[in-house]
Amino acid sequence: DAGVIQSPRHEVTEMGQEVTLRCKPISGHDYLFWYRQTMMRGLELLIYFNNNVPIDDSGMPEDRFSAKMPNASFSTLKIQPSEPRDSAVYFCASSPLLSGGTEAFFGQGTRLTVV
Amino acid sequence: GDSVTQMEGPVTLSEEAFLTINCTYTATGYPSLFWYVQYPGEGLQLLLKATKADDKGSNKGFEATYRKETTSFHLEKGSVQVSDSAVYFCALLKINDYKLSFGAGTTVTVRA
């Protein structure tokens, strides 16, 4: 398997524009996670899905953020409108079953810069 | 709530030096504990893990022992290499929550 695939790797956009980040989890994994990484706040869990259903979105910072998982092989994280403080690296991760010692597999991340 | 506290970096070492990164946790029940590593420009990768008290996780010369009595999971390596330069994250997983909680990360730089 190619691992968790995220696109784009880098995104530069102007404030106010809509941004869509994409993720393809590892086939067969039931859980999908979106994280945001910044110098100030470290790694923050934004939302996670189980079998395509959002389970916990308490980490989503505000209504400008939304995430969907229309099928088992694809998820999006959308920011509309984007703001400079949204600049961060966004990671997607997937896991077959997050229990015991099962690990989460991370994508390489999307570096978002909002100017 | 559940949380993980790591020693703050950055840590700078010479090659072949001994590395320790402290990690303590707060959780009810019996979480699983992990160390993840992030190399420059990449995502996080699992380095090692332990699922119950007194378990020792090990990989690539790194070790960490799950100590319930001190609620700790310190990462150690006896002789670091330049290629070990990375950011290291301690993480906790509670089974019922299905959420990984990460520490702030510790940046380690190894000089030749």
Side-chain angles (χ1 to χ4, degrees):
Chain A
D1 201 313
V4 176
I5 299 173
Q6 291 186 246
S7 63
R9 289 294 309 276
H10 302 274
E11 176 80 38
V12 181
T13 191
E14 291 186 347
M15 182 174 62
Q17 296 298 306
E18 178 180 295
V19 176
T20 299
L21 311 181
R22 297 172 175 80
C23 175
K24 181 181 188 310
I26 294 173
S27 177
H29 283 192
D30 295 326
Y31 287 84
L32 184 140
F33 305 81
W34 282 102
Y35 285 88
R36 178 172 68 176
Q37 185 179 37
T38 61
M39 290 292 291
M40 291 295 295
R41 302 172 71 93
L43 268 168
E44 303 173 274
L45 177 64
L46 301 178
I47 185 172
Y48 79 94
F49 295 82
N50 179 20
N51 291 324
N52 314 338
V53 176
I55 302 301
D56 185 347
D57 65 354
S58 60
M60 296 285 261
E62 45 194 281
D63 291 345
R64 297 184 297 106
F65 286 69
S66 63
K68 294 182 179 179
M69 192 165 184
N71 57 63
S73 60
F74 184 65
S75 177
T76 59
L77 178 67
K78 184 178 294 186
I79 308 173
Q80 166 64 18
S82 58
E83 297 182 5
R85 61 194 169 113
D86 301 331
S87 298
V89 181
Y90 291 81
F91 287 103
C92 176
S94 71
S95 174
L97 172 63
L98 209 59
S99 66
T102 308
E103 68 180 280
F105 295 80
F106 282 76
Q108 292 191 295
T110 295
R111 181 174 296 278
L112 173 65
T113 303
V114 183
V115 298
Chain B
D2 302 332
S3 66
V4 172
T5 303
Q6 283 180 242
M7 64 179 280
E8 292 191 13
V11 175
T12 302
L13 303 165
S14 296
E15 214 166 17
E16 299 183 2
F18 183 86
L19 171 67
T20 298
I21 304 176
N22 289 341
C23 171
T24 57
Y25 67 90
T26 301
T28 57
Y30 301 94
S32 294
L33 300 172
F34 303 80
W35 276 101
Y36 278 81
V37 58
Q38 183 180 29
Y39 298 105
E42 298 185 10
L44 280 71
Q45 328 175 0
L46 180 68
L47 180 59
L48 54 82
K49 64 186 179 187
T51 58
K52 61 184 185 297
D54 299 326
D55 266 3
K56 177 186 282 188
S58 60
N59 185 25
K60 299 182 180 179
F62 289 89
E63 293 183 341
T65 301
Y66 189 148
R67 301 284 189 201
K68 191 172 186 301
E69 64 275 14
T70 54
T71 62
S72 65
F73 193 55
H74 304 322
L75 182 68
E76 297 181 338
K77 185 172 185 180
S79 177
V80 295
Q81 305 300 313
V82 173
S83 56
D84 294 325
S85 298
V87 183
Y88 293 82
F89 293 90
C90 187
L92 170 157
L93 172 67
K94 279 187 65 176
I95 294 176
N96 292 336
D97 285 345
Y98 298 100
K99 291 189 292 188
L100 274 171
S101 298
F102 285 92
T106 302
T107 300
V108 173
T109 301
V110 181
R111 301 173 305 195

